[in-house]
Amino acid sequence: MKRVRKAVFPVAGLGTRFLPATKAIPKEMLTVVDRPVIQYVVDEAREAGIEHFIFVTGRNKAVIEDHFDVQFELYDTLAQRGKDDQLARLQRLQPAPGQTSFTRQQVPMGLGHAVWCARELVGDEPFALLLPDMIMQSEKSCMKDMVELYAETGNNIIAVQECDPAEAHKYGIVGRGEDTHHGFRITGMVEKPKPGTAPSNLFINGRYILQPEIFGILESQERGAGNEIQLTDAMLKLEKQQSFYGYHYKGRTFDCGSPEGFVEANVAFALWRNDMNASMAGVIRTLLDEMKPSERRGVLG
């Protein structure tokens, strides 16, 4: 069984929900506290033992490539000024030479098409897929646990979380079969089921480990919802040939593709840091106390 060495990050989206901020800056480079969103996702993959980071990009995304490159002038300036801690931190985050690859999607044809664009770089081996809009907060990374489950099963893995059953129609939902190892067998998948028809309340949260046979399916995959090539449609076809397992992630997930989720992530990660939590908790309490009662009722419900 081949181990999971490579990860794919689809970063070609325009980020229209964040305009005008994303007019010149990729949405993946917006910062949560002091790190770009994409850095959190790459760090999660690195913690899981990933060795090769593959970015499927588009126009005006070159700054992502620059972010993961060495900046000699900056490093030299930090060294000369004796800012060794900052320099060491940047160097720890720096991928080694040859660990990053970039390919262009060129046309916006959906997540399935973005994944297919990485086929030559992935080759004939299993790979992780991490959606960069979704960032996770837990003591042990979501992808690390998924890689461990893959080592036990040798099949496709999808991370899921619970949602309010009344909200299931907004997500991709999986059917839950028998428990196995520290996961469970997936008995089916449905994208945005009609209200009341979902097989469970477990939604797909943006983390996958997939076998390379998915590329052959995506090659001829017809367009689906939104007139785009949908990854879920291809996984449903692959499910007829190979097993899928679910990993029930119990940490927090923040959808940084929406302004509300992005702000929530900033607050949560600031409160999670030992050097910021006390001051930020005080700031939040002060802001709430200073609101007029009618405004506070609107915020707190």
Side-chain angles (χ1 to χ4, degrees), residues 17-28:
R17 285 188 284 180
F18 283 92
L19 287 170
T22 50
K23 184 178 179 182
I25 301 172
K27 63 176 181 176
E28 297 83 8

Side-chain angles (χ1 to χ4, degrees), residues 24 37 59 137 220 253 263 284 292:
V37 169
R59 294 184 63 216
Q137 187 183 68
S220 57
T253 298
V263 173
I284 293 169
K292 296 176 181 178

Side-chain angles (χ1 to χ4, degrees), residues 52-125:
H52 190 175
F53 310 99
I54 300 167
F55 300 86
V56 182
T57 71
R59 294 184 63 216
N60 301 320
K61 299 279 186 168
V63 68
I64 297 176
E65 188 169 352
D66 291 339
H67 174 73
F68 291 104
D69 200 356
V70 174
Q71 297 187 17
F72 293 102
E73 298 86 352
L74 173 61
Y75 288 10
D76 183 62
T77 299
L78 291 174
Q80 289 186 28
R81 295 180 179 177
K83 297 187 176 182
D84 298 332
D85 290 344
Q86 288 179 302
L87 178 58
R89 184 185 180 207
L90 289 177
Q91 290 173 333
R92 284 195 302 270
L93 297 175
Q94 181 74 52
Q99 278 194 317
T100 56
S101 296
F102 297 81
T103 186
R104 295 222 174 180
Q105 186 177 8
Q106 298 179 322
V107 289
M109 292 175 59
L111 175 59
H113 181 259
V115 172
W116 179 77
C117 288
R119 65 198 183 282
E120 297 295 337
L121 293 168
V122 172
D124 186 24
E125 57 185 287

